[in-house]
Amino acid sequence: MAPSNAMEDFKRDISYHVQRNDDNQIVLTSHLKDRFHDIRMEVLADFESLAITAARVNFVRHPSEDCPTVAWRMELLVGFAIGRGLNRKLQETFGGWEGCGNLRVMLLGLLPLAMNVKAAAGFTDEGAMLDSIRERLVGSCAGYVKRPE
């Protein structure tokens, strides 16, 4: 049966890329692409403090001429340290009628990866790295619960 509207056969891809640069910054990039959107963002975070030092977004394709007007709100993330309060900060910054749910979703998947980069620093053995990540992120999600001794 053929779809009766453009949303009945809809695909959206979101990708993330994380790397550490020579300036001791974590470079976090995300790309959201679907039939109506092509959104690309980059966030820089200080490796030691995980404080966001720069954040920008580019709306390459968007369904409304008003979509790009939210881009300036990325600047409100500068100075925020990635960690506790992240969900609240993103809701305050990108929630409601002045926000953008797509940017919030992209950032919710992207920013926690900075914590993983920091927790994995100095490890070449994948098992030891995963143990370090687990130890540092206990209590952050169901995958990192505190085990009884």
Side-chain angles (χ1 to χ4, degrees), residues 12 32-39 61-63 67 102:
R12 171 174 284 170
L32 179 147
K33 192 166 186 174
D34 63 31
R35 172 179 277 152
F36 307 108
H37 300 89
D38 185 347
I39 305 172
R61 186 175 61 244
H62 41 88
C67 291
N102 289 325

Side-chain angles (χ1 to χ4, degrees), residues 79-129:
F80 178 78
I82 299 167
R84 288 179 105 53
L86 176 62
N87 290 341
R88 183 173 39 257
K89 178 65 173 175
L90 293 179
Q91 182 58 36
E92 289 170 1
T93 306
F94 296 103
W97 66 274
E98 290 182 322
C100 175
N102 289 325
L103 296 186
R104 196 170 62 246
V105 165
M106 292 171 76
L107 289 161
L108 278 170
L110 180 64
L111 296 181
L113 295 174
M115 294 185 293
N116 291 359
V117 170
K118 186 169 181 176
F123 291 94
T124 54
D125 176 71
E126 189 172 293
M129 178 194 69

Side-chain angles (χ1 to χ4, degrees), residues 34-83:
D34 63 31
R35 172 179 277 152
F36 307 108
H37 300 89
D38 185 347
I39 305 172
R40 300 162 192 218
M41 73 170 46
E42 180 180 80
V43 177
L44 300 178
D46 177 71
F47 179 78
E48 294 302 323
S49 67
L50 295 183
I52 295 173
T53 59
R56 59 187 153 272
V57 64
N58 182 18
F59 287 84
V60 178
R61 186 175 61 244
H62 41 88
S64 163
E65 65 185 36
D66 296 319
C67 291
T69 64
V70 75
W72 71 271
R73 297 182 77 77
M74 293 289 288
E75 295 172 22
L76 298 174
L77 298 175
V78 174
F80 178 78
I82 299 167

